[in-house]
Amino acid sequence: MRYHYEFVETQDDLPVRLFVNSVKDIRFHWHKEIELIYVLQGAVTVYVDQRQYRLAEDDIIAINSMSVHKLECTNLDNVLLTLQFGPELLDDEGTLFACNSMSQTEYNRYRYDRLRRCLARMVWESNKKGPGHRNYSMGSLQTLIGHLTRYFTAGTGGGPQEKGKDYDYMRLNRIIQYVDKHYNEKITLQTIADQEHLSLHYFSHFFSDKIGIPFQKYLTLIRLEKAAAQLSDTDKSMTQIALDCGFANVKLFNQYFKGKYGSTPGAYRDTLANAKMLDPARKPLTTEESSSGDYYETDTISAMESLYRYLNDREGSPPVEHDMPSDQRDVVDVQADAGIREEAFLKHWNRVTTAGRAVEGLREDWRRQFAGMQGEFPFTHIRFHGIFNDEMMVYSEDEDGKPVYNWAYVDKLYDFLLQSGIHIFVELSFMPALLRRSNETIFWWKGGISPPADQEKWNGLVREFVRHCVNRYGLAEVKKWYFEVWNEPDLTDVCWSGTKEEYFAFYEATANTIKSVSPALTVGGPALGYGSLWNDNWAEQFIAYCRDREVPLDFFSFHVYSEYPFQKKEIGKLTTIMPPSYFLDSINLLKEKIGYGQPHTPKLHITEWNFSLYDRNLLHDTMFMAPFIIHHALATLGAVDSIAYWSFTDVFEESQVLPSMFYGGFGLINREGLRKPGYYAFRLLSRLGSRIIAQGDGYIVTKNENEDVQILLYHYVHVDSLYASGDRTGLTELNRYSVFEEKGHKRFRIALEGLSGSYKRTRHVLDREHGSVFDEWIRLGSPAFPTEEELKYLHSRSGPAMRTDRLELSEGYAEEAVVPPHGVQLIMLEKQYR
């Protein structure tokens, strides 16, 4: 049973509870903790001290220990920051505060601003988790309490025991629980007075003093809350709801309801129904549960702007671009014996590269970027959407409806790719217009997501396509290809407008068609989205279908991104960021679901992965991406057969192209051909040897057959908890590094045994000061449309700094290397022979 006295649990690291939340209706409750509420966004109604206040954005109020209070939403959405701390932190536990910014003037505003500043500091430190964050937070808390005591003290109440008179609160609790249980019955002042053995006059004053409103008004509020819940959750008539909730008649119910909610019960229900139609699957981003009421899910988009501006005023706080002192560093010991012979490992990150869609591969800038990348760190396969898009002109029909196939553009693209030394990872999509059952499309270029109107015509297209490829390039070549049937069919009405069962049948027919050309060809799918992997049994059902019907499934493909999307009414697409272990966790979950390791289980390919699933995430251009790529490439070693980074280029048009050249595109290379830090992450990974001799937190040490040694160091820093929960206010076109946890430099103490002789040491340094083209663009003045001279300069400044020297080793190799946040270093020791 829920009681109305709230027991507040403090955080693990601080004697407070500090959280961001939204409120719907929080019934009257009390707790011994002092509570400070700051309105980040919207408005909220607060009942406290026998008064009612409507607080708007930037307002702040203090609620004293054991004060009965209630919160209600208004007609505006609200996002609140709430701080709760125990009275034992005060010099006098009985101190009462009169702090309510409704009384703020231009003359006393500075007093309230000091409280806001302390809250901002505490939130900043709580989310950044930098070294000493607890001490900083405690200092801000003590300063806040000092400000409250100095400027807002309103006397003392003799401590919670005397002030509250525990018996009175026990009595009040009994009354509130009785009303919650019997609200639909006839309850009068006399009913409760008799139950509590009080006179009518005494009880009336007792209740008003404790709650702040008369008993009858409180009873009406409770009945209205219950009625609102029934309007939302049931199909009962207005008459039935009125009677169920204790109202004498419908007319009275309508009158009271409109007074509280601003609309009739019928209009209120219609509004709720429309909201559910617009957003039927609303999921919580964060949830704060309270024994006293209804704290519900909140996104913090834009909410922190009103608070964080207090970080940069004259009394100061950490600047937005903040870094730790160089002496505050994590220390990592890198120890290995280079003489030990280890087994060779599969470099799964350089098997498959990806691009947006087929027709882009006919462009000169796309080809130039691809050829340059393949020349530096070649991939074995390439995957992209849209080989059957109408723009590729592969399918038409004559006057009699007979299929006409045209492979001219396909040949142009595939000829170029195969001449570049790469094989094809064929994604069979999307549906040509003449084959569609319906007209749903995806992306700016309108890829058809409909199942075929005629399965046999689709089978004919696939059969002739595969035959043409075998005849043109030879079976020996096409046997090296992969045929992936569709893209993310689990995303209903996004990438596939049919049912799940229709996709299963579609996959079966398509896979059998491919195998009919040659059983030696490799076919698989379904390019599963990671949401389905975590939220339903799509993968298990697909595997079971293929197993039970003996459908060919040589590989299982799926996608993983760090962002997890949610849909929010009136706000649009919101995301939360998953922890760094999410990729490996997803792989392990899939293996468990499909019984990986049992006889005849398919191989596993991640055919898309990146930080964000949106091609407009500004972090994609930053130095963050280099350690992000390296971390996930190394963390998933041996877990899957390949991981295909999405994608190699910003010559990519799922959405309309933006004017900015650093707009957060997926690519390793921007559309002007500038190579981002992610590009160099793959180049440095490609320099690793064939055998691993050590691997740990932020490093890997490898060795070649000729005794050359490679030491790759990286400092991965995850986004902070605010950004992870959906807050993007710290991210702008020019300021893209304030959304990360605050970390110091990382110091690696390297000690390798088993090395002797003469070595050439080459050090590659990639960080915000060395080789990050986005940071260099900022230093250049961030020109929106750079001139040829400026582009040439940026090209010259892109890529790791490099320096070499000679070493004579007799007792191994030892050194210390310091890597800043988001930095990468590759140290190559090449054996020299005389």
Side-chain angles (χ1 to χ4, degrees):
M1 179 179 293
R2 283 188 166 190
Y3 291 88
H4 295 274
Y5 176 84
E6 181 180 0
F7 293 92
V8 175
E9 293 186 10
T10 58
Q11 297 165 201
D12 292 337
D13 57 344
L14 290 171
V16 303
R17 186 171 179 233
L18 179 66
F19 57 95
V20 176
N21 64 288
S22 292
V23 299
K24 198 182 301 179
D25 281 296
I26 301 179
R27 51 189 168 177
F28 284 103
H29 67 288
W30 63 94
H31 40 71
K32 76 177 182 67
E33 286 73 22
I34 295 143
E35 183 170 304
L36 211 61
I37 299 172
Y38 175 77
V39 182
L40 292 164
Q41 187 172 286
V44 66
T45 299
V46 179
Y47 298 85
V48 66
D49 298 332
Q50 304 181 44
R51 293 190 179 182
Q52 174 181 332
Y53 305 99
R54 187 181 189 278
L55 304 182
E57 184 173 314
D58 207 35
D59 276 333
I60 190 169
I61 190 171
I63 297 172
N64 287 302
S65 173
M66 303 302 283
S67 287
V68 179
H69 57 288
K70 170 183 171 61
L71 283 79
E72 285 182 351
C73 62
T74 66
N75 59 336
L76 297 175
D77 287 336
N78 63 78
V79 182
L80 311 179
L81 174 67
T82 302
L83 171 69
Q84 297 168 327
F85 62 91
E88 64 273 9
L89 296 178
L90 304 175
D91 292 337
D92 183 342
E93 291 190 28
T95 301
L96 300 177
F97 300 111
C99 173
N100 185 338
S101 61
M102 301 289 288
S103 303
Q104 177 180 295
T105 68
E106 60 178 308
Y107 301 106
N108 67 7
R109 179 184 174 90
Y110 72 96
R111 297 182 177 182
Y112 293 94
D113 282 351
R114 289 181 179 182
L115 297 177
R116 296 175 180 116
R117 186 176 304 116
C118 290
L119 288 173
R121 286 175 178 270
M122 291 182 70
V123 172
W124 180 275
E125 294 297 338
S126 175
N127 284 287
K128 293 300 180 181
K129 300 291 185 186
H133 71 90
R134 184 184 184 279
N135 299 89
Y136 275 110
S137 296
M138 283 300 299
S140 296
L141 175 63
Q142 293 293 346
T143 303
L144 181 145
I145 292 172
H147 288 330
L148 275 174
T149 304
R150 175 168 295 181
Y151 296 115
F152 299 101
T153 296
T156 60
Q161 295 296 323
E162 292 181 30
K163 168 182 174 290
K165 295 197 174 3
D166 285 348
Y167 185 78
D168 284 352
Y169 283 99
M170 290 170 63
R171 167 175 283 160
L172 189 59
N173 209 35
R174 285 198 304 270
I175 294 167
I176 289 174
Q177 287 187 65
Y178 182 87
V179 171
D180 271 358
K181 188 175 182 181
H182 300 280
Y183 65 90
N184 59 341
E185 302 171 11
K186 184 177 181 181
I187 303 176
T188 64
L189 272 173
Q190 191 66 59
T191 304
I192 306 298
D194 290 345
Q195 182 177 290
E196 292 294 324
H197 309 291
L198 299 172
S199 71
L200 187 65
H201 182 266
Y202 180 85
F203 170 66
S204 176
H205 283 282
F206 167 81
F207 192 89
S208 295
D209 287 345
K210 296 300 182 187
I211 296 294
I213 58 175
F215 175 77
Q216 202 60 47
K217 183 174 181 181
Y218 172 80
L219 176 60
T220 301
L221 284 173
I222 295 301
R223 287 171 169 169
L224 289 170
E225 289 173 3
K226 303 295 185 182
Q230 289 202 26
L231 287 167
S232 173
D233 301 333
T234 75
D235 295 325
K236 291 180 179 179
S237 68
M238 300 304 160
T239 301
Q240 186 62 55
I241 291 174
L243 295 175
D244 281 353
C245 296
F247 292 98
N249 53 61
V250 175
K251 183 178 180 181
L252 199 61
F253 171 45
N254 284 336
Q255 177 185 331
Y256 283 132
F257 194 93
K258 190 169 184 180
K260 175 173 170 55
Y261 292 102
S263 68
T264 64
Y268 181 86
R269 172 177 273 172
D270 290 342
T271 301
L272 290 174
N274 290 335
K276 289 178 180 179
M277 287 177 63
L278 288 171
D279 189 9
R282 179 171 176 169
K283 297 181 180 179
L285 193 58
T286 62
T287 303
E288 290 288 351
E289 288 295 338
S290 167
S291 62
S292 62
D294 187 4
Y295 292 90
Y296 69 99
E297 67 267 19
T298 175
D299 60 79
T300 55
I301 298 299
S302 303
M304 283 297 169
E305 288 183 349
S306 60
L307 182 63
Y308 273 177
R309 68 177 183 269
Y310 295 103
L311 287 175
N312 295 309
D313 57 17
R314 58 186 176 85
E315 297 208 14
S317 80
V320 174
E321 295 274 358
H322 189 65
D323 196 10
M324 291 289 106
S326 61
D327 59 343
Q328 293 182 351
R329 299 166 178 158
D330 292 331
V331 178
V332 177
D333 289 311
V334 181
Q335 298 178 336
D337 186 346
I340 296 177
R341 182 174 178 81
E342 298 290 348
E343 292 296 320
F345 73 102
L346 172 68
K347 297 180 180 179
H348 66 326
W349 60 77
N350 66 353
R351 294 194 65 192
V352 184
T353 189
T354 67
R357 75 192 200 276
V359 77
E360 292 159 354
L362 302 178
R363 290 172 48 166
E364 178 59 33
D365 51 353
W366 189 100
R367 293 186 171 197
R368 186 169 54 250
Q369 291 185 18
F370 173 78
M373 179 184 70
Q374 279 294 97
E376 290 204 66
F377 44 92
F379 291 86
T380 63
H381 291 77
I382 185 168
R383 172 187 182 268
F384 39 78
H385 300 315
I387 196 64
F388 291 161
N389 278 6
D390 288 340
E391 59 198 350
M392 292 295 287
M393 301 187 183
V394 297
Y395 185 84
S396 60
E397 295 178 355
D398 63 18
E399 294 179 354
D400 299 323
K402 182 179 178 181
V404 176
Y405 307 112
N406 177 6
W407 312 117
Y409 283 177
V410 172
D411 292 347
K412 255 189 173 183
L413 176 59
Y414 282 6
D415 288 355
F416 166 76
L417 292 172
L418 268 64
Q419 289 165 12
S420 301
I422 201 167
H423 309 296
I424 314 300
F425 200 118
V426 183
E427 178 207 301
L428 291 171
S429 70
F430 283 96
M431 192 63 62
L434 290 175
L435 292 182
R436 298 174 195 168
R437 185 178 70 189
S438 53
N439 294 321
E440 299 89 349
T441 63
I442 187 173
F443 303 136
W444 174 81
W445 35 264
K446 300 189 182 304
I449 65 172
S450 166
D454 184 333
Q455 182 68 47
E456 286 306 313
K457 283 191 173 182
W458 166 265
N459 295 347
L461 170 62
V462 172
R463 185 182 301 108
E464 292 307 310
F465 167 72
V466 176
R467 283 176 179 170
H468 174 78
C469 292
V470 170
N471 291 334
R472 186 175 182 85
Y473 304 113
L475 182 60
E477 167 62 30
V478 181
K479 281 168 61 176
K480 299 174 185 176
W481 296 11
Y482 295 86
F483 291 88
E484 183 183 43
V485 182
W486 214 252
N487 177 73
E488 296 182 347
D490 55 304
L491 299 186
T492 305
D493 295 328
V494 177
C495 291
W496 175 256
S497 64
T499 66
K500 175 170 53 181
E501 292 73 21
E502 285 176 323
Y503 173 75
F504 291 174
F506 175 78
Y507 174 85
E508 179 180 10
T510 306
N512 285 330
T513 297
I514 293 168
K515 291 288 190 178
S516 72
V517 178
S518 171
L521 300 180
T522 302
V523 64
L528 185 76
Y530 57 107
S532 296
L533 174 61
W534 282 94
N535 289 326
D536 57 44
N537 57 0
W538 212 101
E540 299 98 310
Q541 291 180 339
F542 178 67
I543 288 287
Y545 182 93
C546 293
R547 181 185 62 243
D548 294 345
R549 297 178 62 88
E550 298 183 347
V551 179
L553 183 66
D554 300 315
F555 65 89
F556 189 104
S557 58
F558 61 109
H559 302 163
V560 188
Y561 292 84
S562 290
E563 278 187 335
Y564 197 93
F566 296 97
Q567 294 293 323
K568 287 285 188 173
K569 179 174 175 285
E570 297 180 351
I571 295 178
K573 291 181 178 178
L574 301 179
T575 55
T576 186
I577 307 299
M578 309 311 287
S581 64
Y582 184 63
F583 281 57
L584 190 56
D585 292 342
S586 297
I587 294 169
N588 291 334
L589 176 63
L590 177 62
K591 287 182 173 180
E592 179 184 334
K593 282 174 170 278
I594 68 174
Y596 186 80
Q598 299 177 9
H600 310 299
T601 51
K603 294 183 178 296
L604 298 182
H605 294 278
I606 297 178
T607 51
E608 287 184 24
W609 72 282
N610 203 313
F611 171 70
S612 170
L613 73 167
Y614 300 123
D615 61 344
R616 296 289 185 270
N617 190 300
L618 297 177
L619 297 187
H620 286 154
D621 301 322
T622 68
M623 191 58 224
F624 160 74
M625 290 304 297
F628 171 84
I629 288 169
I630 292 171
H631 169 81
H632 287 91
L634 298 181
T636 57
L637 275 175
V640 289
D641 293 276
S642 73
I643 53 174
Y645 182 84
W646 187 260
S647 62
F648 89 82
T649 177
D650 280 353
V651 179
F652 183 100
E653 297 170 349
E654 284 184 358
S655 307
Q656 187 131 1
V657 173
L658 296 176
S660 172
M661 71 174 187
F662 288 114
Y663 60 84
F666 288 126
L668 300 173
I669 311 170
N670 84 341
R671 63 169 178 252
E672 284 79 11
L674 296 172
R675 294 166 175 178
K676 305 181 194 179
Y679 178 95
Y680 294 104
F682 278 99
R683 193 172 84 173
L684 295 178
L685 281 168
S686 72
R687 305 289 180 88
L688 292 177
S690 58
R691 302 176 187 277
I692 299 174
I693 58 176
Q695 186 176 358
D697 176 25
Y699 70 89
I700 186 172
V701 184
T702 63
K703 186 178 179 181
N704 285 337
E705 297 292 343
N706 60 2
E707 298 190 27
D708 292 347
V709 173
Q710 304 81 31
I711 307 164
L712 182 60
L713 312 173
Y714 60 95
H715 191 350
Y716 176 76
V717 180
H718 201 52
V719 295
D720 65 25
S721 57
L722 272 180
Y723 186 91
S725 68
D727 186 298
R728 302 296 183 263
T729 58
L731 192 63
T732 67
E733 184 179 15
L734 302 184
N735 173 23
R736 305 190 189 186
Y737 291 97
S738 64
V739 298
F740 297 100
E741 295 177 337
E742 290 196 347
K743 300 289 185 182
H745 293 57
K746 184 171 283 190
R747 180 159 54 100
F748 294 90
R749 296 188 297 209
I750 303 168
L752 303 183
E753 299 177 2
L755 293 177
S756 62
S758 179
Y759 282 84
K760 175 185 176 183
R761 176 172 62 183
T762 303
R763 188 187 308 274
H764 302 268
V765 178
L766 180 66
D767 55 40
R768 293 184 63 187
E769 301 296 326
H770 305 91
S772 171
V773 71
F774 166 75
D775 291 283
E776 200 62 52
W777 176 69
I778 295 294
R779 285 189 283 271
L780 186 62
S782 57
F785 299 97
T787 64
E788 285 297 317
E789 181 181 15
E790 290 167 337
L791 281 173
K792 189 177 294 185
Y793 173 81
L794 290 173
H795 276 288
S796 71
R797 300 289 291 178
S798 169
M802 184 175 72
R803 54 184 181 273
T804 65
D805 57 3
R806 301 274 177 164
L807 303 173
E808 293 295 330
L809 303 179
S810 58
E811 298 181 358
Y813 176 76
E815 79 153 301
E816 289 193 357
V818 176
V819 181
H822 315 301
V824 181
Q825 285 191 28
L826 175 65
I827 302 167
M828 302 178 66
L829 303 175
E830 298 174 81
K831 184 81 171 182
Q832 304 294 293
Y833 298 93
R834 298 174 181 173

